Amino acid sequence: MRIVIAGGHGQIALRLERLLAGRGDDVAGIIRRREQGDDLRTVGAEPVLCDLESATVEEVAAHLQGADAAVFAAGAGPGSGAARKDTVDRGAAVLFAEAAVRTGVRRYIVVSSMGADPNHQGDEVFDAYLRAKGKADEYVRSQNALDWTILRPGALTNDAGTGLVRLEASTGRGSIPRDDVAAVLAELVDTSATAGLTLELISGSTPVSVAVKSVAGN
């Protein structure tokens, strides 16, 4: 498969790229800064330079040509203000989805956040983040041309992955190593039977492949 990942230099994305490349997939990661390219090459991914905050849908669609799946894993990141939560966590997500529709890339995975809600209340930056993520998810859900799956991890950690998770429509609060998020994403890319599902993810007791098969109804 050819898989294009938005936010290709993110902590989850780099882990996912390593997993996908390691199993033989053709992986491209969209990055904003040229100097990030070597990190992607190190994990086996092709760096694609494109700023999703300023690119047109036509420019992004060109990078999705020939892809079998698209993964939106971009984010404004810590230290960014409410404005960039809107331009990246919402705006770039919508743009990437529009480009996937235009290019005919049906399989579309979103890395969202537990608690994402377009109507979330509050004036803090994190509140703006949850609203932005919620609006992006809402837009993706409205796209009939996409076989979308939305993944909402709990609190992210850099602990070593265990390969054991809880993946359900609603899990309750919890944490999850980024390693395990990447492992779940790699399984979801291949599991089109999860299309149309919004899933929460925290650490648990079920092996990743079993957890994904379970929610897919297999």
Side-chain angles (χ1 to χ4, degrees):
M1 293 178 72
R2 178 167 174 80
I3 301 150
V4 179
I5 301 171
H9 194 257
Q11 294 187 68
I12 290 173
L14 286 168
R15 289 167 166 84
L16 176 60
E17 287 154 2
R18 186 186 296 277
L19 289 175
L20 296 174
R23 73 184 193 188
D25 287 322
D26 178 12
V27 189
I30 295 177
I31 55 175
R32 294 179 62 231
R33 297 196 295 275
R34 191 176 302 277
E35 60 268 24
Q36 297 171 333
D38 285 344
D39 290 336
L40 272 72
R41 295 184 190 96
T42 296
V43 299
E46 169 200 348
V48 174
L49 193 63
C50 179
D51 186 345
L52 294 176
E53 286 184 271
S54 59
T56 65
V57 66
E58 291 81 11
E59 289 168 339
V60 180
H63 297 309
L64 282 166
Q65 288 289 343
D68 299 294
V71 179
F72 185 82
S80 57
R84 290 203 70 227
K85 302 303 184 192
D86 185 67
T87 58
V88 179
D89 293 286
R90 183 202 58 79
V94 169
L95 176 68
F96 199 56
E98 288 176 341
V101 170
R102 185 165 300 200
T103 318
V105 180
R106 290 201 63 92
R107 191 71 181 117
Y108 191 86
I109 314 292
V110 178
V111 183
S112 184
S113 173
M114 192 173 288
D117 180 352
N119 299 311
H120 180 82
Q121 299 299 306
D123 300 321
E124 301 298 322
V125 172
F126 189 68
D127 298 318
Y129 168 75
L130 292 177
R131 279 193 296 274
K133 280 293 194 184
K135 289 174 183 176
D137 293 354
E138 187 176 57
Y139 178 82
V140 169
R141 285 195 191 106
S142 74
Q143 300 305 300
N144 294 329
L146 296 177
D147 294 330
W148 54 265
T149 304
I150 295 170
L151 184 66
R152 292 178 167 177
L156 299 170
T157 76
N158 286 324
D159 297 339
T162 66
L164 299 173
V165 301
R166 183 177 176 189
L167 179 69
E168 299 171 12
S170 179
T171 61
R173 296 287 173 178
S175 62
I176 180 83
R178 289 178 172 88
D179 287 349
D180 290 334
V181 177
V184 169
L185 288 168
E187 288 282 340
L188 288 174
V189 164
D190 280 345
T191 312
S192 58
T194 60
L197 298 180
T198 300
L199 300 166
E200 293 185 351
L201 175 66
I202 58 174
S203 291
S205 58
T206 305
V208 166
S209 61
V210 176
V212 172
K213 286 183 174 68
S214 179
V215 295
N218 297 328

